[in-house]
Amino acid sequence: MSATVSMLRSAPRTAIRSYSSSSQPQRKVAILGAAGGIGQPLSLLMKLNPLVTSLSLYDIAGTPGVAADVSHVNTLAQVSGFAGEEQLGKALEGSDLVIIPAGVPRKPGMTRDDLFNINAGIVKSLSAAIAKFCPNALVNMISNPVNSTVPIAAEMLKKAGTFDEKKLFGVTMLDVVRAKTFYAGKADVEASEVDVPVVGGHAGITILPLFSQVTLKSKALSDEEIKALTKRTQDGGTEVVEAKAGKGSATLSMAYAGAIFADACLKGLNGVPDVVECSFVQSSVTELPFFASKVRLGKNGVEEVLGLGPLSDREKQGLKSLIPELKASIEKGIKFAKES
């Protein structure tokens, strides 16, 4: 059983018995978009996390009800709900970690441009508020398209003079979760024991799972099987959108992945050594200014951006192919933030 899964399963008991003392750092987590499809299950999962002492839930509407509901769960975190722009500052003040699942989900037939046109403005205004009310917080960006929203947030924080490249993360953990699950199913191994780095970006072909570096191998998979696993990982979001037949996107699995990555960030802040996860961050691993790869987390956020390691020929080609599309998405976000 993975440490994170174990944490989630045992959180209520652990939080009550072991985390009520002052020995643990006081950590405030704010979720922006807490009343949405990702935000609600994410709020519940963060309430279960024993490292969270204060949970601040914000959305444009509906948050008081979500906060009241989640607050009844018998764990350590104290829950507050905030609704409307006028309460955003209060929601953010004193936050150590801000998670942003705000915005609209992808629907069948919706292009990335459609998604960008709506969510870019939301991310822009929320980033400006973070710069004003909690400039030292770690920021976990879930709002899609992550390949563009992270650069938007970076530019907004730069405008405010508060940008710290160590504190801004694009959450690509769902790609990792999918790669682990899909590989485990094909290789007939325990999914919680598998680790598969996923690099690049967080959309389509920019998602590059490095199956050649999988940590637990029981049987060799063929090149065709690896090709199919790569494609399924890249198209995982579409798989869920189509299965829900226009009634939603990947909300539950995204909430789970978001909770895992948030937990890793909190452990890093608390000084737990050797916390390494994949994330879309400012990077010099490639020629692009932002790139997803393994990141070592620490007390200030990013301690070290790790390299890609040895790649198979297929992965080298995948890396070459993703660069132009990822570059265009990054530039689109930067342009939006600068011009608007």
Side-chain angles (χ1 to χ4, degrees):
M1 185 187 299
S2 72
T4 306
V5 173
S6 177
M7 177 276 294
L8 290 172
R9 288 181 180 174
S10 63
R13 181 175 62 254
T14 307
I16 294 167
R17 293 181 183 174
S18 305
Y19 290 88
S20 57
S21 72
S22 59
S23 61
Q24 170 184 273
Q26 301 290 300
R27 296 297 181 196
K28 177 178 177 179
V29 175
I31 299 177
L32 308 185
I38 297 170
Q40 290 198 43
L42 178 59
S43 297
L44 174 60
L45 290 171
M46 295 313 296
K47 178 71 166 84
L48 295 178
N49 191 311
L51 302 180
V52 180
T53 49
S54 175
L55 184 60
S56 177
L57 307 182
Y58 171 82
D59 215 319
I60 54 174
T63 348
V66 176
D69 196 357
V70 171
S71 72
H72 292 180
V73 175
N74 62 321
T75 56
L76 176 67
Q78 298 298 302
V79 182
S80 302
F82 303 91
E85 249 180 81
E86 66 280 359
Q87 294 191 356
L88 178 55
K90 198 170 181 183
L92 288 170
E93 284 176 349
S95 294
D96 297 288
L97 172 64
V98 180
I99 312 172
I100 310 179
V104 298
R106 191 154 64 98
K107 299 174 183 176
M110 181 179 277
T111 67
R112 290 178 198 157
D113 282 340
D114 294 334
L115 200 62
F116 178 91
N117 292 335
I118 300 170
N119 288 353
I122 295 171
V123 167
K124 179 187 172 187
S125 63
L126 293 178
S127 299
I130 289 168
K132 182 176 181 181
F133 295 106
C134 55
N136 296 317
L138 302 190
V139 178
N140 287 3
M141 184 68 67
I142 292 175
S143 303
N144 275 315
V146 165
N147 293 353
S148 298
T149 55
V150 169
I152 289 171
E155 289 301 316
M156 296 307 298
L157 296 171
K158 287 175 185 176
K159 281 184 182 180
T162 63
F163 178 62
D164 183 344
E165 65 189 66
K166 296 180 178 180
K167 296 182 183 294
L168 177 61
F169 303 87
V171 180
T172 59
M173 181 61 73
L174 182 51
D175 302 323
V176 176
V177 167
R178 285 174 173 150
K180 291 177 179 182
T181 301
F182 301 159
Y183 178 89
K186 183 63 69 173
D188 195 26
V189 294
E190 175 59 49
S192 63
E193 301 299 324
V194 172
D195 190 23
V196 183
V198 181
V199 304
H202 185 55
I205 67 163
T206 70
I207 300 167
L208 182 61
L210 304 182
F211 288 112
S212 68
Q213 297 180 23
V214 68
T215 55
L216 184 66
K217 299 180 181 179
S218 63
K219 63 177 182 179
L221 300 185
S222 70
D223 192 54
E224 282 305 307
E225 287 174 316
I226 294 296
K227 181 180 179 182
L229 286 174
T230 299
K231 185 77 166 65
R232 191 181 178 199
T233 303
Q234 293 171 337
D235 294 342
T238 302
E239 182 179 315
V240 176
V241 168
E242 291 178 351
K244 290 190 175 181
K247 295 183 179 179
S249 60
T251 53
L252 301 175
S253 53
M254 183 64 249
Y256 170 76
I260 289 177
F261 189 72
D263 180 65
C265 288
L266 291 169
K267 285 175 178 173
L269 284 175
N270 289 354
V272 176
D274 297 319
V275 179
V276 177
E277 297 290 356
C278 291
S279 182
F280 186 66
V281 297
Q282 183 164 306
S283 171
S284 58
V285 168
T286 68
E287 67 265 33
L288 301 180
F290 296 91
F291 199 82
S293 66
K294 282 187 174 182
V295 173
R296 190 181 310 280
L297 301 166
K299 292 185 176 181
N300 297 304
V302 176
E303 263 190 11
E304 183 183 7
V305 178
L306 304 176
L308 300 181
L311 305 180
S312 69
D313 289 343
R314 177 179 294 282
E315 291 161 356
K316 288 176 184 176
Q317 183 56 49
L319 177 62
K320 184 178 179 181
S321 299
L322 72 82
I323 293 292
E325 182 170 320
L326 183 52
K327 180 180 180 182
S329 296
I330 292 169
E331 290 175 348
K332 184 174 184 177
I334 293 172
K335 182 180 179 183
F336 175 86
K338 286 185 174 179
E339 292 183 354
S340 58

